[in-house]
Amino acid sequence: MISFIKKHKNIFWLVLVFVILLVAYFIREFIASRDIYNESYLDGDDYIMTKKIYGVNEYSVINISDEQMANIYINDFKNYLYTDINYAYQLLNEEYRNLKFGSIDSFKNYINSIDSNDMDIDRYSINGDRNVFTIYTKDNKKYIFKTMSVMEYEVYLDDYTVEI
């Protein structure tokens, strides 16, 4: 037998590795088939499994007051006045924009004539039927935000040029 193993040692090692892998596979299957996670095995009351919460795609409901929304709208518009005046011009209602200013240069002149640092809210009102926020700033300027959905709005700077 030893002379056979010496003569065919490559085949012997291949068969030995195969037998070891086969035994390991059967041991793993035997362990996996045992029902070690059964509640009766763990005495039921002693084992409590809690669900792990990872926080992925998790959300929580946040209620925002009308005053907070008014602040968000005026600050958003103020930000566009500083960073992208062309977009701020596009936020104006189209009919209002054409009647009141006619061109972006006229709008820029108007914005330069006011102090946009004083755009802090003094008071506001809401027409809930039409989702219209009327905001008066501390320098007594009026900004009207007609909302279509959250953060989707059009702006009016007065209420007499066009009907809102």
Side-chain angles (χ1 to χ4, degrees):
M1 176 85 167
I2 295 188
S3 66
F4 178 78
I5 293 174
K6 286 183 179 180
K7 189 176 180 183
H8 302 297
K9 78 175 167 181
N10 290 340
I11 294 173
F12 171 75
W13 287 112
L14 185 64
V15 170
L16 183 63
V17 168
F18 179 73
V19 169
I20 291 172
L21 289 175
L22 192 63
V23 169
Y25 173 77
F26 282 119
I27 290 172
R28 187 174 71 73
E29 286 297 315
F30 174 74
I31 291 172
S33 68
R34 293 179 54 206
D35 192 13
I36 61 172
Y37 296 107
N38 189 342
E39 282 187 27
S40 63
Y41 177 77
L42 297 171
D43 293 334
D45 295 333
D46 296 338
Y47 182 75
I48 299 172
M49 185 174 196
T50 58
K51 186 177 180 181
K52 175 73 175 160
I53 299 174
Y54 292 99
V56 176
N57 295 330
E58 187 176 344
Y59 69 93
S60 60
V61 177
I62 298 174
N63 292 324
I64 297 178
S65 70
D66 292 336
E67 182 178 6
Q68 288 172 319
M69 280 310 298
N71 271 310
I72 289 169
Y73 285 132
I74 195 73
N75 287 328
D76 192 52
F77 186 65
K78 181 179 174 181
N79 180 46
Y80 287 124
L81 289 175
Y82 284 126
T83 61
D84 190 358
I85 194 140
N86 294 324
Y87 186 71
Y89 182 68
Q90 294 300 316
L91 285 174
L92 298 174
N93 173 273
E94 184 177 3
E95 181 184 3
Y96 174 80
R97 177 177 64 218
N98 293 333
L99 287 172
K100 178 78 174 182
F101 298 108
S103 71
I104 192 163
D105 294 328
S106 177
F107 177 67
K108 286 178 182 179
N109 289 335
Y110 175 78
I111 295 302
N112 289 334
S113 71
I114 63 171
D115 186 10
S116 54
N117 289 326
D118 290 334
M119 287 179 67
D120 296 327
I121 294 178
D122 183 41
R123 63 189 187 281
Y124 69 94
S125 65
I126 299 172
N127 183 335
D129 295 341
R130 294 185 291 178
N131 294 324
V132 176
F133 285 78
T134 304
I135 299 171
Y136 295 91
T137 58
K138 292 185 178 179
D139 62 347
N140 210 26
K141 299 284 185 203
K142 184 188 290 189
Y143 299 88
I144 303 167
F145 296 87
K146 183 176 180 184
T147 61
M148 282 63 83
S149 65
V150 177
M151 296 310 294
E152 185 180 335
Y153 58 85
E154 53 188 23
V155 181
Y156 302 82
L157 302 177
D158 62 52
D159 57 357
Y160 51 84
T161 304
V162 295
E163 185 177 335
I164 300 172

